[in-house]
Structures are given as C-alpha cells and as structure tokens.
Amino acid sequence: MATPSPARQTRPDTTMAVCRGACRLMRQSGRSVLLEMPLPDGRRADIFVVGADGELIIVEVKSSIEDWRVDVKWPDYLDWCDLLYFAVPVDFPQDLIPQEIGLIVADAYGGEILRRPARRPVTAARRKSLLIDCARLASERLARLEDPDFFELG
C-alpha cells in the first residue's frame, strides 16, 4: 500500500512517518531506540534512545503546529535525558522549536539533524535506573511477541 503524499497525510500518518524516519536516523548512527518509553514522572517519551556509551536521548515527535501548541509538558523531558530533540516533518515551521533543543526533520524514509542540543548529563543514579527500565521494557515487549498467549497470574 502506497504512503499518502505529505499534503494528504492525516496527522497520525504524519506522526508515524516522522517517528519512523527519526528512529531510522538514530539506528543508522549506532543507537538503539524504544518507542513510547514510560518515564518515572508519569510522562512517556515518544522515542527513547540509548547510545553504545549509555548516552540517553529523548526524541519528541511533533506532526503539526497544533500538536506543538498543545504540548506544554516537553520541558519535563529535560530531566530524563542527556539530549532532547524534536522531530518534525519537512513543512513544519522550524522557528517554533526553542534554540536550546535539538531539531530533526524526518519523513518515513529517514531524517536529518538540523540542530544539536547542548548536552545536559543526567545523574549516574538516574541513568542506571532509566537503563534498567529500558532493558526491562524492551525484554518484556520481545517476550510478548514470542509468547502472545502468556498472561500474568495475580
């Protein structure tokens, strides 16, 4: 099935395309990605990225101006990563993204980093906790794929 042209894509289609492209970009740079990663404060990162050296990156996907305007929670993500990026479609007005935040432009086929953010290292204890949470979530998702009929007792 062909992907709708950008002009005719629905917001969910655009979100999915930008997310896919941003994930491809991160994976091409040797990083691992996990979608919809719950954070300890109750927020959920669209894309949680782990580098080979333990670097933690959050990529928030914004598919439209409306999506950007209703998001007042994004500063909370700064406490949970070393680097924070927004991934947006090509036609997104890039000047809306604050200069201190990284900027990725992406479509369904890939992405490009247009601006790198300043590194704001998380504490060692928080990094360890997030890496454990990430590993457990990824492992559980894989186990559910391998055994979809499993259910927890109790």
Side-chain angles (χ1 to χ4, degrees):
M1 180 177 200
T3 303
S5 70
R8 293 187 309 216
Q9 283 187 330
T10 65
R11 185 167 149 191
D13 289 336
T14 302
T15 300
M16 192 179 326
V18 171
C19 185
R20 179 179 176 191
C23 285
R24 283 183 170 189
L25 173 69
M26 290 294 148
R27 291 175 63 213
Q28 286 169 340
S29 67
R31 297 176 171 109
S32 297
V33 300
L34 190 60
L35 301 179
E36 298 295 325
M37 167 76 172
L39 300 171
D41 66 356
R43 303 278 186 232
R44 186 177 301 268
D46 291 338
I47 307 171
F48 192 78
V49 183
V50 179
D53 60 355
E55 179 180 61
L56 302 177
I57 301 170
I58 291 177
V59 180
E60 276 301 294
V61 176
K62 295 296 159 213
S63 59
S64 66
I65 296 172
E66 296 77 27
D67 188 16
W68 166 255
R69 288 195 174 133
V70 299
D71 185 0
V72 295
K73 69 188 182 320
W74 72 262
D76 296 342
Y77 293 116
L78 292 167
D79 292 335
W80 304 106
C81 59
D82 300 312
L83 302 168
L84 176 63
Y85 286 91
F86 279 104
V88 299
V90 174
D91 60 350
F92 188 92
Q94 298 169 10
D95 57 328
L96 291 178
I97 306 298
Q99 288 298 311
E100 68 273 14
I101 306 303
L103 178 60
I104 295 170
V105 172
D107 61 19
Y109 305 101
E112 182 177 347
I113 295 174
L114 298 187
R115 183 174 63 235
R116 295 185 186 277
R119 185 172 161 79
R120 305 167 54 129
V122 299
T123 64
R126 181 165 285 186
R127 182 179 314 282
K128 178 181 176 182
S129 175
L130 287 166
L131 288 170
I132 290 170
D133 290 348
C134 180
R136 290 177 49 83
L137 179 61
S139 177
E140 182 61 26
R141 287 182 181 172
L142 181 59
R144 288 177 190 258
L145 285 173
E146 292 174 351
D147 185 5
D149 297 325
F150 175 80
F151 65 94
E152 295 180 44
L153 299 174

Short mmCIF file of all heavy atoms in Angstrom, two decimals, residues 79-144:
data_model
loop_
_atom_site.label_atom_id
_atom_site.label_comp_id
_atom_site.label_asym_id
_atom_site.label_seq_id
_atom_site.Cartn_x
_atom_site.Cartn_y
_atom_site.Cartn_z
N ASP A 79 14.76 16.48 32.28
CA ASP A 79 15.28 15.81 33.48
C ASP A 79 15.62 14.34 33.25
O ASP A 79 16.21 13.71 34.12
CB ASP A 79 14.26 15.89 34.62
CG ASP A 79 14.08 17.31 35.13
OD1 ASP A 79 15.01 18.13 34.98
OD2 ASP A 79 13.00 17.60 35.67
N TRP A 80 15.22 13.79 32.10
CA TRP A 80 15.34 12.35 31.89
C TRP A 80 16.25 11.97 30.73
O TRP A 80 16.25 10.81 30.29
CB TRP A 80 13.94 11.75 31.67
CG TRP A 80 13.04 12.06 32.82
CD1 TRP A 80 12.02 12.97 32.83
CD2 TRP A 80 13.09 11.52 34.13
NE1 TRP A 80 11.45 13.02 34.07
CE2 TRP A 80 12.08 12.13 34.89
CE3 TRP A 80 13.91 10.56 34.74
CZ2 TRP A 80 11.86 11.82 36.23
CZ3 TRP A 80 13.69 10.24 36.08
CH2 TRP A 80 12.68 10.87 36.80
N CYS A 81 17.02 12.91 30.22
CA CYS A 81 17.90 12.59 29.09
C CYS A 81 19.11 13.51 29.07
O CYS A 81 19.11 14.57 29.70
CB CYS A 81 17.13 12.71 27.77
SG CYS A 81 16.44 14.35 27.45
N ASP A 82 20.13 13.07 28.34
CA ASP A 82 21.31 13.90 28.12
C ASP A 82 21.07 14.90 27.00
O ASP A 82 21.61 16.01 27.01
CB ASP A 82 22.51 13.03 27.73
CG ASP A 82 22.85 12.01 28.81
OD1 ASP A 82 22.94 12.39 29.99
OD2 ASP A 82 23.02 10.82 28.46
N LEU A 83 20.26 14.50 26.03
CA LEU A 83 19.96 15.32 24.86
C LEU A 83 18.46 15.21 24.55
O LEU A 83 17.91 14.11 24.57
CB LEU A 83 20.76 14.85 23.64
CG LEU A 83 22.28 14.84 23.77
CD1 LEU A 83 22.90 14.07 22.61
CD2 LEU A 83 22.81 16.25 23.81
N LEU A 84 17.85 16.32 24.22
CA LEU A 84 16.43 16.33 23.83
C LEU A 84 16.31 16.91 22.43
O LEU A 84 16.84 17.99 22.15
CB LEU A 84 15.60 17.17 24.80
CG LEU A 84 14.11 17.34 24.46
CD1 LEU A 84 13.39 16.00 24.48
CD2 LEU A 84 13.46 18.32 25.41
N TYR A 85 15.60 16.17 21.58
CA TYR A 85 15.34 16.60 20.21
C TYR A 85 13.84 16.64 19.97
O TYR A 85 13.08 15.87 20.57
CB TYR A 85 15.91 15.60 19.19
CG TYR A 85 17.39 15.61 19.03
CD1 TYR A 85 18.20 14.78 19.80
CD2 TYR A 85 18.00 16.41 18.07
CE1 TYR A 85 19.57 14.76 19.63
CE2 TYR A 85 19.38 16.39 17.89
CZ TYR A 85 20.15 15.55 18.68
OH TYR A 85 21.51 15.54 18.50
N PHE A 86 13.44 17.49 19.05
CA PHE A 86 12.11 17.40 18.44
C PHE A 86 12.31 16.91 17.03
O PHE A 86 13.22 17.37 16.32
CB PHE A 86 11.40 18.76 18.42
CG PHE A 86 10.77 19.09 19.74
CD1 PHE A 86 11.35 20.01 20.58
CD2 PHE A 86 9.59 18.47 20.13
CE1 PHE A 86 10.77 20.32 21.80
CE2 PHE A 86 9.01 18.77 21.35
CZ PHE A 86 9.61 19.69 22.19
N ALA A 87 11.47 15.97 16.62
CA ALA A 87 11.46 15.51 15.23
C ALA A 87 10.18 16.02 14.61
O ALA A 87 9.09 15.83 15.16
CB ALA A 87 11.53 13.99 15.17
N VAL A 88 10.32 16.68 13.47
CA VAL A 88 9.18 17.32 12.81
C VAL A 88 9.20 17.00 11.32
O VAL A 88 10.24 16.65 10.76
CB VAL A 88 9.21 18.86 13.02
CG1 VAL A 88 9.13 19.21 14.50
CG2 VAL A 88 10.45 19.48 12.39
N PRO A 89 8.04 17.14 10.66
CA PRO A 89 8.03 16.96 9.20
C PRO A 89 8.70 18.14 8.50
O PRO A 89 8.92 19.20 9.09
CB PRO A 89 6.54 16.88 8.86
CG PRO A 89 5.83 17.50 10.00
CD PRO A 89 6.71 17.38 11.20
N VAL A 90 9.03 17.94 7.24
CA VAL A 90 9.75 18.94 6.46
C VAL A 90 9.02 20.29 6.43
O VAL A 90 9.66 21.34 6.49
CB VAL A 90 9.97 18.42 5.02
CG1 VAL A 90 10.58 19.47 4.12
CG2 VAL A 90 10.82 17.17 5.03
N ASP A 91 7.69 20.28 6.38
CA ASP A 91 6.94 21.53 6.24
C ASP A 91 6.62 22.20 7.58
O ASP A 91 5.89 23.19 7.62
CB ASP A 91 5.66 21.29 5.45
CG ASP A 91 4.73 20.28 6.10
OD1 ASP A 91 5.14 19.60 7.07
OD2 ASP A 91 3.59 20.14 5.63
N PHE A 92 7.16 21.70 8.68
CA PHE A 92 6.92 22.28 10.00
C PHE A 92 7.71 23.59 10.14
O PHE A 92 8.88 23.63 9.76
CB PHE A 92 7.36 21.30 11.08
CG PHE A 92 6.99 21.69 12.48
CD1 PHE A 92 5.80 21.27 13.03
CD2 PHE A 92 7.83 22.49 13.24
CE1 PHE A 92 5.45 21.63 14.33
CE2 PHE A 92 7.49 22.87 14.52
CZ PHE A 92 6.29 22.43 15.07
N PRO A 93 7.10 24.65 10.70
CA PRO A 93 7.85 25.90 10.90
C PRO A 93 8.91 25.75 11.99
O PRO A 93 8.61 25.79 13.18
CB PRO A 93 6.77 26.91 11.28
CG PRO A 93 5.57 26.12 11.67
CD PRO A 93 5.71 24.76 11.07
N GLN A 94 10.14 25.56 11.57
CA GLN A 94 11.23 25.21 12.47
C GLN A 94 11.54 26.27 13.52
O GLN A 94 12.08 25.96 14.58
CB GLN A 94 12.47 24.88 11.65
CG GLN A 94 12.25 23.69 10.75
CD GLN A 94 13.34 23.51 9.74
OE1 GLN A 94 14.39 24.14 9.81
NE2 GLN A 94 13.11 22.63 8.77
N ASP A 95 11.20 27.52 13.25
CA ASP A 95 11.48 28.59 14.21
C ASP A 95 10.63 28.47 15.47
O ASP A 95 10.92 29.14 16.47
CB ASP A 95 11.33 29.96 13.56
CG ASP A 95 9.95 30.19 12.96
OD1 ASP A 95 9.32 29.22 12.50
OD2 ASP A 95 9.50 31.35 12.96
N LEU A 96 9.63 27.60 15.50
CA LEU A 96 8.85 27.37 16.72
C LEU A 96 9.62 26.58 17.77
O LEU A 96 9.36 26.69 18.96
CB LEU A 96 7.55 26.61 16.39
CG LEU A 96 6.49 27.35 15.60
CD1 LEU A 96 5.30 26.44 15.33
CD2 LEU A 96 6.04 28.61 16.33
N ILE A 97 10.59 25.79 17.33
CA ILE A 97 11.35 24.94 18.25
C ILE A 97 12.42 25.79 18.93
O ILE A 97 13.22 26.44 18.26
CB ILE A 97 12.02 23.77 17.49
CG1 ILE A 97 10.99 22.97 16.68
CG2 ILE A 97 12.78 22.87 18.46
CD1 ILE A 97 9.90 22.31 17.47
N PRO A 98 12.43 25.80 20.29
CA PRO A 98 13.43 26.60 21.00
C PRO A 98 14.86 26.26 20.58
O PRO A 98 15.18 25.09 20.33
CB PRO A 98 13.20 26.23 22.47
CG PRO A 98 11.79 25.74 22.52
CD PRO A 98 11.54 25.08 21.19
N GLN A 99 15.71 27.26 20.52
CA GLN A 99 17.08 27.10 20.04
C GLN A 99 17.91 26.13 20.88
O GLN A 99 18.84 25.52 20.38
CB GLN A 99 17.79 28.46 19.98
CG GLN A 99 17.30 29.35 18.86
CD GLN A 99 17.56 28.74 17.50
OE1 GLN A 99 18.66 28.29 17.19
NE2 GLN A 99 16.53 28.70 16.67
N GLU A 100 17.59 25.99 22.16
CA GLU A 100 18.38 25.11 23.02
C GLU A 100 18.01 23.63 22.87
O GLU A 100 18.67 22.76 23.43
CB GLU A 100 18.27 25.53 24.49
CG GLU A 100 16.90 25.33 25.12
CD GLU A 100 15.93 26.50 24.92
OE1 GLU A 100 16.18 27.39 24.08
OE2 GLU A 100 14.92 26.52 25.62
N ILE A 101 16.98 23.35 22.10
CA ILE A 101 16.52 21.98 21.88
C ILE A 101 16.97 21.52 20.50
O ILE A 101 16.94 22.29 19.54
CB ILE A 101 14.98 21.90 22.00
CG1 ILE A 101 14.50 22.47 23.33
CG2 ILE A 101 14.49 20.46 21.80
CD1 ILE A 101 15.08 21.82 24.55
N GLY A 102 17.35 20.26 20.39
CA GLY A 102 17.77 19.72 19.11
C GLY A 102 16.61 19.61 18.12
O GLY A 102 15.45 19.51 18.52
N LEU A 103 16.94 19.64 16.84
CA LEU A 103 15.92 19.61 15.80
C LEU A 103 16.27 18.57 14.74
O LEU A 103 17.37 18.57 14.19
CB LEU A 103 15.80 20.99 15.14
CG LEU A 103 14.80 21.12 14.00
CD1 LEU A 103 13.39 20.80 14.46
CD2 LEU A 103 14.88 22.53 13.41
N ILE A 104 15.31 17.67 14.51
CA ILE A 104 15.42 16.65 13.47
C ILE A 104 14.26 16.86 12.51
O ILE A 104 13.12 17.04 12.94
CB ILE A 104 15.32 15.23 14.08
CG1 ILE A 104 16.50 14.95 15.00
CG2 ILE A 104 15.21 14.17 12.97
CD1 ILE A 104 16.37 13.68 15.82
N VAL A 105 14.55 16.84 11.23
CA VAL A 105 13.50 16.84 10.21
C VAL A 105 13.48 15.44 9.63
O VAL A 105 14.53 14.89 9.28
CB VAL A 105 13.77 17.91 9.12
CG1 VAL A 105 12.78 17.76 7.97
CG2 VAL A 105 13.67 19.30 9.72
N ALA A 106 12.28 14.85 9.57
CA ALA A 106 12.19 13.45 9.15
C ALA A 106 10.93 13.19 8.33
O ALA A 106 9.95 13.93 8.43
CB ALA A 106 12.20 12.55 10.39
N ASP A 107 11.03 12.14 7.54
CA ASP A 107 9.86 11.59 6.85
C ASP A 107 9.94 10.07 7.02
O ASP A 107 10.76 9.58 7.79
CB ASP A 107 9.81 12.02 5.38
CG ASP A 107 11.00 11.56 4.57
OD1 ASP A 107 11.72 10.62 4.98
OD2 ASP A 107 11.22 12.14 3.49
N ALA A 108 9.12 9.34 6.32
CA ALA A 108 9.06 7.89 6.51
C ALA A 108 10.34 7.17 6.13
O ALA A 108 10.53 6.01 6.50
CB ALA A 108 7.88 7.32 5.71
N TYR A 109 11.24 7.82 5.42
CA TYR A 109 12.42 7.14 4.90
C TYR A 109 13.70 7.46 5.65
O TYR A 109 14.70 6.77 5.48
CB TYR A 109 12.57 7.48 3.41
CG TYR A 109 11.31 7.12 2.67
CD1 TYR A 109 10.39 8.10 2.33
CD2 TYR A 109 11.00 5.80 2.38
CE1 TYR A 109 9.20 7.77 1.69
CE2 TYR A 109 9.82 5.46 1.74
CZ TYR A 109 8.92 6.45 1.41
OH TYR A 109 7.75 6.12 0.79
N GLY A 110 13.69 8.49 6.46
CA GLY A 110 14.88 8.85 7.19
C GLY A 110 14.75 10.24 7.78
O GLY A 110 13.68 10.84 7.76
N GLY A 111 15.84 10.72 8.31
CA GLY A 111 15.82 12.04 8.93
C GLY A 111 17.20 12.67 8.89
O GLY A 111 18.20 12.03 8.54
N GLU A 112 17.22 13.93 9.29
CA GLU A 112 18.48 14.67 9.34
C GLU A 112 18.46 15.57 10.57
O GLU A 112 17.46 16.22 10.85
CB GLU A 112 18.65 15.51 8.09
CG GLU A 112 19.95 16.27 8.04
CD GLU A 112 20.14 17.04 6.75
OE1 GLU A 112 19.40 16.82 5.78
OE2 GLU A 112 21.05 17.89 6.73
N ILE A 113 19.57 15.60 11.27
CA ILE A 113 19.71 16.51 12.41
C ILE A 113 20.08 17.87 11.87
O ILE A 113 21.12 18.03 11.23
CB ILE A 113 20.77 16.01 13.41
CG1 ILE A 113 20.32 14.69 14.04
CG2 ILE A 113 21.04 17.07 14.48
CD1 ILE A 113 21.36 14.03 14.93
N LEU A 114 19.21 18.84 12.10
CA LEU A 114 19.49 20.21 11.66
C LEU A 114 20.14 21.03 12.77
O LEU A 114 20.84 22.00 12.48
CB LEU A 114 18.21 20.91 11.20
CG LEU A 114 17.49 20.29 10.00
CD1 LEU A 114 16.34 21.18 9.57
CD2 LEU A 114 18.43 20.05 8.85
N ARG A 115 19.87 20.65 14.01
CA ARG A 115 20.46 21.39 15.14
C ARG A 115 20.67 20.41 16.29
O ARG A 115 19.78 19.66 16.65
CB ARG A 115 19.52 22.51 15.56
CG ARG A 115 20.09 23.37 16.68
CD ARG A 115 19.21 24.57 17.01
NE ARG A 115 17.90 24.19 17.49
CZ ARG A 115 16.75 24.59 16.97
NH1 ARG A 115 16.73 25.37 15.91
NH2 ARG A 115 15.60 24.21 17.47
N ARG A 116 21.86 20.44 16.85
CA ARG A 116 22.18 19.60 18.00
C ARG A 116 21.97 20.41 19.29
O ARG A 116 22.35 21.57 19.34
CB ARG A 116 23.61 19.10 17.93
CG ARG A 116 23.84 18.18 16.74
CD ARG A 116 25.23 17.57 16.73
NE ARG A 116 25.44 16.81 15.51
CZ ARG A 116 25.04 15.57 15.33
NH1 ARG A 116 24.41 14.94 16.28
NH2 ARG A 116 25.27 14.95 14.19
N PRO A 117 21.40 19.76 20.30
CA PRO A 117 21.21 20.47 21.57
C PRO A 117 22.48 20.43 22.41
O PRO A 117 23.37 19.60 22.18
CB PRO A 117 20.10 19.67 22.25
CG PRO A 117 20.34 18.27 21.76
CD PRO A 117 20.83 18.42 20.33
N ALA A 118 22.53 21.29 23.41
CA ALA A 118 23.61 21.21 24.39
C ALA A 118 23.38 19.96 25.24
O ALA A 118 22.25 19.61 25.55
CB ALA A 118 23.60 22.46 25.27
N ARG A 119 24.46 19.29 25.58
CA ARG A 119 24.37 18.10 26.43
C ARG A 119 24.11 18.52 27.86
O ARG A 119 24.77 19.39 28.40
CB ARG A 119 25.67 17.31 26.31
CG ARG A 119 25.66 15.99 27.03
CD ARG A 119 26.92 15.20 26.68
NE ARG A 119 27.19 14.16 27.62
CZ ARG A 119 26.56 12.98 27.64
NH1 ARG A 119 25.63 12.73 26.76
NH2 ARG A 119 26.86 12.08 28.54
N ARG A 120 23.11 17.88 28.48
CA ARG A 120 22.75 18.11 29.88
C ARG A 120 22.75 16.75 30.57
O ARG A 120 21.70 16.12 30.65
CB ARG A 120 21.38 18.76 29.97
CG ARG A 120 21.24 20.04 29.16
CD ARG A 120 19.80 20.43 29.03
NE ARG A 120 19.18 20.52 30.33
CZ ARG A 120 18.48 21.54 30.78
NH1 ARG A 120 18.26 22.56 30.00
NH2 ARG A 120 17.97 21.54 31.98
N PRO A 121 23.91 16.28 31.04
CA PRO A 121 24.01 14.91 31.56
C PRO A 121 23.08 14.65 32.75
O PRO A 121 22.97 15.48 33.65
CB PRO A 121 25.47 14.79 31.99
CG PRO A 121 26.18 15.91 31.33
CD PRO A 121 25.17 17.00 31.12
N VAL A 122 22.41 13.49 32.71
CA VAL A 122 21.62 13.07 33.86
C VAL A 122 22.59 12.48 34.89
O VAL A 122 23.71 12.08 34.56
CB VAL A 122 20.53 12.04 33.47
CG1 VAL A 122 19.55 12.63 32.49
CG2 VAL A 122 21.12 10.77 32.92
N THR A 123 22.15 12.41 36.13
CA THR A 123 23.00 11.86 37.19
C THR A 123 23.21 10.36 36.97
O THR A 123 22.41 9.70 36.31
CB THR A 123 22.38 12.08 38.58
OG1 THR A 123 21.15 11.35 38.64
CG2 THR A 123 22.14 13.56 38.85
N ALA A 124 24.28 9.83 37.52
CA ALA A 124 24.61 8.42 37.36
C ALA A 124 23.49 7.52 37.88
O ALA A 124 23.13 6.52 37.24
CB ALA A 124 25.92 8.09 38.06
N ALA A 125 22.91 7.85 39.02
CA ALA A 125 21.84 7.03 39.60
C ALA A 125 20.60 7.03 38.70
O ALA A 125 19.98 5.99 38.48
CB ALA A 125 21.48 7.52 41.00
N ARG A 126 20.26 8.19 38.17
CA ARG A 126 19.10 8.28 37.27
C ARG A 126 19.38 7.52 35.98
O ARG A 126 18.50 6.84 35.45
CB ARG A 126 18.77 9.74 36.99
CG ARG A 126 17.58 9.90 36.08
CD ARG A 126 17.04 11.29 36.09
NE ARG A 126 16.32 11.50 37.34
CZ ARG A 126 15.63 12.59 37.62
NH1 ARG A 126 15.56 13.58 36.75
NH2 ARG A 126 15.00 12.71 38.76
N ARG A 127 20.58 7.65 35.43
CA ARG A 127 20.96 6.93 34.21
C ARG A 127 20.80 5.42 34.43
O ARG A 127 20.20 4.72 33.61
CB ARG A 127 22.40 7.26 33.80
CG ARG A 127 22.85 6.59 32.51
CD ARG A 127 24.28 6.97 32.15
NE ARG A 127 24.52 8.39 32.27
CZ ARG A 127 24.13 9.32 31.38
NH1 ARG A 127 23.49 8.94 30.30
NH2 ARG A 127 24.38 10.59 31.58
N LYS A 128 21.34 4.92 35.54
CA LYS A 128 21.24 3.48 35.83
C LYS A 128 19.79 3.05 35.91
O LYS A 128 19.39 2.05 35.31
CB LYS A 128 21.96 3.16 37.15
CG LYS A 128 21.85 1.70 37.53
CD LYS A 128 22.54 1.43 38.85
CE LYS A 128 22.34 -0.04 39.25
NZ LYS A 128 22.94 -0.34 40.55
N SER A 129 18.98 3.80 36.60
CA SER A 129 17.56 3.46 36.75
C SER A 129 16.85 3.45 35.39
O SER A 129 16.07 2.53 35.09
CB SER A 129 16.90 4.47 37.69
OG SER A 129 15.51 4.25 37.76
N LEU A 130 17.11 4.45 34.57
CA LEU A 130 16.47 4.53 33.25
C LEU A 130 16.93 3.39 32.34
O LEU A 130 16.13 2.82 31.59
CB LEU A 130 16.76 5.88 32.59
CG LEU A 130 16.01 7.06 33.18
CD1 LEU A 130 16.63 8.38 32.71
CD2 LEU A 130 14.54 7.00 32.84
N LEU A 131 18.21 3.05 32.40
CA LEU A 131 18.72 1.96 31.57
C LEU A 131 18.10 0.62 31.99
O LEU A 131 17.77 -0.21 31.14
CB LEU A 131 20.24 1.90 31.62
CG LEU A 131 20.96 3.02 30.87
CD1 LEU A 131 22.45 3.02 31.19
CD2 LEU A 131 20.71 2.93 29.38
N ILE A 132 17.92 0.42 33.29
CA ILE A 132 17.27 -0.81 33.77
C ILE A 132 15.81 -0.83 33.30
O ILE A 132 15.32 -1.85 32.79
CB ILE A 132 17.37 -0.92 35.31
CG1 ILE A 132 18.81 -1.22 35.71
CG2 ILE A 132 16.41 -2.00 35.83
CD1 ILE A 132 19.08 -1.11 37.20
N ASP A 133 15.10 0.29 33.45
CA ASP A 133 13.70 0.37 33.00
C ASP A 133 13.60 0.08 31.50
O ASP A 133 12.70 -0.64 31.05
CB ASP A 133 13.11 1.75 33.29
CG ASP A 133 12.89 2.02 34.77
OD1 ASP A 133 12.98 1.08 35.58
OD2 ASP A 133 12.62 3.20 35.10
N CYS A 134 14.52 0.64 30.75
CA CYS A 134 14.52 0.47 29.30
C CYS A 134 14.77 -1.00 28.94
O CYS A 134 14.05 -1.57 28.10
CB CYS A 134 15.60 1.37 28.69
SG CYS A 134 15.72 1.28 26.91
N ALA A 135 15.73 -1.62 29.57
CA ALA A 135 16.05 -3.02 29.29
C ALA A 135 14.87 -3.93 29.65
O ALA A 135 14.53 -4.84 28.89
CB ALA A 135 17.30 -3.44 30.06
N ARG A 136 14.25 -3.66 30.78
CA ARG A 136 13.11 -4.49 31.19
C ARG A 136 11.93 -4.33 30.23
O ARG A 136 11.28 -5.31 29.86
CB ARG A 136 12.70 -4.15 32.62
CG ARG A 136 13.72 -4.61 33.67
CD ARG A 136 13.33 -4.20 35.09
NE ARG A 136 11.97 -4.53 35.42
CZ ARG A 136 11.54 -5.72 35.85
NH1 ARG A 136 12.40 -6.71 35.99
NH2 ARG A 136 10.26 -5.93 36.14
N LEU A 137 11.65 -3.11 29.81
CA LEU A 137 10.54 -2.88 28.89
C LEU A 137 10.81 -3.54 27.54
O LEU A 137 9.94 -4.21 26.98
CB LEU A 137 10.31 -1.37 28.70
CG LEU A 137 9.18 -0.99 27.75
CD1 LEU A 137 7.83 -1.54 28.23
CD2 LEU A 137 9.12 0.53 27.60
N ALA A 138 12.01 -3.38 27.03
CA ALA A 138 12.35 -4.00 25.74
C ALA A 138 12.26 -5.52 25.84
O ALA A 138 11.73 -6.18 24.94
CB ALA A 138 13.75 -3.57 25.30
N SER A 139 12.75 -6.08 26.92
CA SER A 139 12.70 -7.52 27.12
C SER A 139 11.26 -8.00 27.20
O SER A 139 10.89 -9.03 26.60
CB SER A 139 13.46 -7.89 28.41
OG SER A 139 13.36 -9.26 28.66
N GLU A 140 10.42 -7.30 27.93
CA GLU A 140 9.01 -7.69 28.06
C GLU A 140 8.30 -7.61 26.71
O GLU A 140 7.50 -8.49 26.37
CB GLU A 140 8.31 -6.81 29.09
CG GLU A 140 6.87 -7.17 29.33
CD GLU A 140 6.64 -8.60 29.85
OE1 GLU A 140 7.56 -9.16 30.49
OE2 GLU A 140 5.55 -9.15 29.60
N ARG A 141 8.57 -6.58 25.94
CA ARG A 141 7.94 -6.45 24.62
C ARG A 141 8.37 -7.61 23.71
O ARG A 141 7.54 -8.16 22.98
CB ARG A 141 8.28 -5.11 23.99
CG ARG A 141 7.53 -3.97 24.65
CD ARG A 141 7.84 -2.66 23.99
NE ARG A 141 7.13 -1.57 24.64
CZ ARG A 141 7.32 -0.28 24.36
NH1 ARG A 141 8.20 0.06 23.42
NH2 ARG A 141 6.66 0.64 25.00
N LEU A 142 9.63 -7.97 23.75
CA LEU A 142 10.11 -9.09 22.95
C LEU A 142 9.45 -10.39 23.41
O LEU A 142 9.01 -11.21 22.59
CB LEU A 142 11.63 -9.19 23.03
CG LEU A 142 12.27 -10.30 22.21
CD1 LEU A 142 11.93 -10.15 20.72
CD2 LEU A 142 13.77 -10.30 22.43
N ALA A 143 9.37 -10.61 24.72
CA ALA A 143 8.76 -11.83 25.24
C ALA A 143 7.29 -11.93 24.84
O ALA A 143 6.80 -13.01 24.50
CB ALA A 143 8.89 -11.86 26.77
N ARG A 144 6.59 -10.80 24.81
CA ARG A 144 5.17 -10.82 24.41
C ARG A 144 5.02 -11.15 22.92
O ARG A 144 4.03 -11.76 22.53
CB ARG A 144 4.50 -9.50 24.74
CG ARG A 144 4.28 -9.34 26.23
CD ARG A 144 3.69 -7.98 26.56
NE ARG A 144 3.69 -7.76 27.98
CZ ARG A 144 2.63 -7.89 28.77
NH1 ARG A 144 1.47 -8.25 28.26
NH2 ARG A 144 2.72 -7.66 30.05
#
